[in-house]
Amino acid sequence: MMRRVSLRVAAASLLALAAACASAGAAKPLVYCADASPEGFDPALWDTASTSNVTSQIFQGLVAFQRGGSEIVPELATTWTVSPDAKAFTFQLRRGVKFHATPYFTPTREFNVEDVLFTFRRLVDPRQPFNVAFPATFVYPQSLGLAEMIAGIDRLGDHEVRFRLHRPNVNFLSYFAGTFAAIHSAEYAARLLAEGRASAINNQPVGTGPYRFKSYRKDDVLRLQPHPEYWRGVQQTKALVYAISREPNVRVQKIARGECHVTAAIRDVDITALSGHPQIDILKIQALNISYLGFNLKKPPVDKREVREALDMAVDRDALFKVLFPRGDAMQAVSAFPPAVPGYNRRLKNEFDPARAKQLLAQAGHPDGFEIDLWALPISRPTNPNGQLMAQMIQADWARIGVKARILTYEWGEYLKRANNGEHHVYMSGWTSDIAAADEFLTPNLTCAASRGGIKFCNAEFDALVEGARAEVDVSKRLAMVERAQEIFKRERPWITMAHSSVYIPVRKDVTGFVMSPNGSVDFEGVVRP
């Protein structure tokens, strides 16, 4: 027996969106104050918010998360079926969808199954001709172990495709709503390949989304324009502009003066400055997020569990939160995901015990301490509003147990590249999910497939529990496995867990149609300034 999704919620959402666009008239340009430059424009290559907040306006996936929620709704697929054993996923594709026409590409056909096949075979087959011409690391798909999951991708017709898995995966459908799963034009890719310019897929994007690429100056400004043949209707906003401002206080000043109309999430300390402003609303959501300090488990001395445990125990989270989160609405993180996620293990706890930390260092062969590199996050995030200050406070905590921390930081793109190369001892990072599912936190960050990134954590027992939970249809058994996986996580300490936070986004009052996402990302479809 196959099950088919209901389209009623999606249809209502689309009608509301179309009505908003139709009523907007000739809307003004919309300026978003972004906190960092995108790393590129190929959504499969990057997994940071600074990139996905851009690519999600240009590209679309087969399915999406409902606007402002976490229900999966149709996008480039109209319907889908899932086999009873959760090993086969079949999609009916939307007809009449047109790719962007740009100065560098003019499509000759509409979206069809060939685009889906190119997109996903590129993610799982390193021998695909495009991958041979442009070898790339697909960060999120690699962390999921996507290539190992998929047994085959079948063309069932011009507008029908089936994905077959080696093992059941009850979470697999949600992967198609991720930004990494955005659909590329196979025709455009073939053109780039024939011209010997395969790498241009990352800086000259072509998608099906409401906005298309116009121009970009790194660390300055990105300009998008409405897609004139967009299948849900042309956007009324004349232009979508990303004004890139790394400094949080600069973004606050710009929105206060009306130089931008929506900004990246602001810090606790900035809320007071904007509260009461007659032209600004501050939207808030309790996001599904976490910040952490990630260890490189391949690099001494943090390759020893006792050392990682000692460094964790030495951090005075209470003192740190008073300084970094003065409003008091952030929560200290204990496990790998927030308590709102089913399967959260409430038996776990943090400990602040410098005396015990010294004992652990002695047991690990470091009675006099050691020197270590501590990387400070170079950009502000809701869960880590001031990486430099957090680093300084942790540096002082570690000094009390004899550990001398050298604080380092880099430009955001360089920071990510070096961390993935494993150059760090400890680096600051974080994660945000669209849905309250443990797998969305554990699989892309902490499994052996993900260990090729910055953490270098690989534990066979942990992996078996995570994989078993993905395949388990019995909810109680699944959650029990998730709880046991967290116990291993807490024992091995690949992270020093820091914070779960609320997300605040200021929006000018003349902006209509903006809805906050559960993960704090931005979606500008149907958003206008009349």
Side-chain angles (χ1 to χ4, degrees):
M1 182 75 177
M2 306 288 272
R3 69 179 189 270
R4 186 170 293 275
V5 300
S6 168
L7 302 185
R8 286 182 294 177
V9 172
S13 176
L14 294 183
L15 286 173
L17 186 61
C21 288
S23 65
K28 302 171 186 174
L30 184 69
V31 180
Y32 172 64
C33 274
D35 57 1
S37 295
E39 298 162 84
F41 297 94
D42 180 351
L45 290 178
W46 316 104
D47 66 347
T48 64
S50 54
T51 297
S52 62
N53 277 338
V54 172
T55 58
S56 59
Q57 322 306 324
I58 299 171
F59 291 91
Q60 296 177 301
L62 295 180
V63 300
F65 293 113
Q66 183 184 11
R67 198 179 182 91
S70 58
E71 182 179 347
I72 295 174
V73 297
E75 199 157 71
L76 294 183
T78 55
T79 59
W80 56 89
T81 52
V82 181
S83 64
D85 62 359
K87 289 177 65 177
F89 296 74
T90 305
F91 295 88
Q92 301 294 325
L93 306 182
R94 190 175 300 279
R95 298 169 186 266
V97 176
K98 298 182 185 296
F99 282 98
H100 300 159
T102 70
Y104 47 85
F105 175 68
T106 302
T108 65
R109 63 164 176 81
E110 296 178 345
F111 160 72
N112 66 28
V113 70
E114 296 303 322
D115 306 305
V116 179
L117 295 175
F118 165 76
T119 296
F120 286 96
R121 287 175 177 168
R122 178 179 172 227
L123 298 182
V124 301
D125 183 6
R127 298 165 298 178
Q128 188 204 47
F130 200 89
N131 284 336
V132 173
F134 178 42
T137 299
F138 303 111
V139 179
Y140 192 78
Q142 174 183 286
S143 298
L144 288 175
L146 196 69
E148 292 75 24
M149 287 182 196
I150 294 177
I153 309 173
D154 306 320
R155 184 188 194 278
L156 303 181
D158 286 347
H159 293 87
E160 187 175 14
V161 64
R162 178 176 61 213
F163 292 78
R164 291 178 287 108
L165 307 184
H166 290 291
R167 292 173 294 278
N169 188 338
V170 296
N171 302 303
F172 190 70
L173 182 62
S174 69
Y175 298 165
F176 291 96
T179 53
F180 81 89
I183 302 301
H184 284 279
S185 164
E187 182 185 19
Y188 178 51
R191 176 82 58 82
L192 293 177
L193 189 61
E195 295 173 354
R197 299 192 307 115
S199 63
I201 200 169
N202 187 43
N203 51 47
Q204 293 181 323
V206 170
T208 62
Y211 288 94
R212 61 183 178 179
F213 180 84
K214 183 179 181 182
S215 64
Y216 173 56
R217 289 199 304 270
K218 184 175 172 60
D219 297 330
D220 184 10
V221 64
L222 164 69
R223 300 182 187 278
L224 305 180
Q225 58 186 184
H227 176 17
E229 297 182 290
Y230 183 49
W231 61 273
R232 273 200 285 238
V234 183
Q235 299 301 294
Q236 298 305 304
T237 295
K238 287 194 225 178
L240 178 57
V241 180
Y242 286 62
I244 301 163
S245 304
R246 177 178 166 181
E247 295 299 326
N249 61 317
V250 172
R251 298 194 298 274
V252 168
Q253 292 166 10
K254 283 188 173 183
I255 195 166
R257 295 193 297 259
E259 295 175 17
C260 60
H261 311 108
V262 183
T263 79
I266 59 174
R267 306 168 299 179
D268 277 21
V269 295
D270 298 320
I271 294 171
T272 302
L274 293 177
S275 294
H277 192 294
Q279 299 302 322
I280 294 174
D281 290 324
I282 301 178
L283 307 184
K284 174 186 175 182
I285 196 166
Q286 185 64 49
L288 297 167
N289 60 20
I290 187 170
S291 59
Y292 59 84
L293 274 66
F295 291 108
N296 180 351
L297 273 71
K298 298 295 184 183
K299 194 166 186 176
V302 296
D303 58 335
K304 291 187 176 181
R305 185 188 60 78
E306 294 86 354
V307 169
R308 299 192 299 274
E309 187 176 359
L311 293 175
D312 188 353
M313 281 186 176
V315 175
D316 187 348
R317 289 175 173 84
D318 288 345
L320 190 147
F321 268 61
K322 288 178 183 177
V323 174
L324 291 178
F325 303 101
R327 294 179 63 86
D329 58 358
M331 178 189 304
Q332 292 187 23
V334 178
S335 185
F337 48 79
V341 175
Y344 181 83
N345 192 326
R346 298 186 181 277
R347 296 182 298 275
L348 304 182
K349 61 181 181 178
N350 291 328
E351 299 173 77
F352 174 53
D353 192 340
R356 174 63 178 153
K358 286 185 177 182
Q359 293 173 5
L360 287 168
L361 290 184
Q363 291 175 21
H366 300 283
D368 301 319
F370 48 80
E371 292 187 358
I372 193 173
D373 291 339
L374 170 59
W375 289 19
L377 195 71
I379 59 176
S380 174
R381 286 286 187 254
T383 55
N384 186 349
N386 191 328
Q388 193 68 224
L389 180 55
M390 180 184 283
Q392 290 166 0
M393 295 185 72
I394 292 172
Q395 181 187 51
D397 287 340
W398 287 352
R400 295 186 185 100
I401 63 169
V403 173
K404 297 179 181 178
R406 295 181 296 267
I407 297 175
L408 302 175
T409 195
Y410 303 93
E411 179 272 330
W412 181 226
E414 187 71 10
Y415 182 95
L416 294 169
K417 182 176 75 173
R418 287 174 176 263
N420 279 326
N421 289 339
E423 297 180 22
H424 61 290
H425 286 110
V426 190
Y427 80 124
M428 295 179 185
S429 191
W431 191 255
T432 303
S433 175
D434 296 277
I435 57 176
D439 188 60
E440 295 289 324
F441 287 85
L442 302 181
T443 296
N445 292 301
L446 292 162
T447 57
C448 292
S451 71
R452 286 168 282 188
I455 305 298
K456 313 301 182 191
F457 173 65
C458 180
N459 182 285
E461 185 183 4
F462 178 89
D463 264 33
L465 288 166
V466 173
E467 185 173 314
R470 282 202 302 264
E472 181 53 69
V473 295
D474 184 290
V475 175
S476 61
K477 292 180 180 178
R478 184 192 314 153
L479 297 184
M481 285 187 273
V482 169
E483 288 194 23
R484 292 203 299 275
Q486 291 167 81
E487 290 169 1
I488 295 169
F489 162 81
K490 199 64 174 179
R491 182 190 74 208
E492 297 300 323
R493 310 281 174 117
W495 294 353
I496 296 177
T497 54
M498 294 306 301
H500 310 300
S501 72
S502 297
V503 176
Y504 298 90
I505 293 182
V507 180
R508 297 284 299 188
K509 288 183 183 291
D510 63 343
V511 172
T512 62
F514 183 81
V515 178
M516 282 193 73
S517 299
N519 66 355
S521 62
V522 293
D523 175 3
F524 291 115
E525 184 172 355
V527 179
V528 296
R529 292 176 57 231

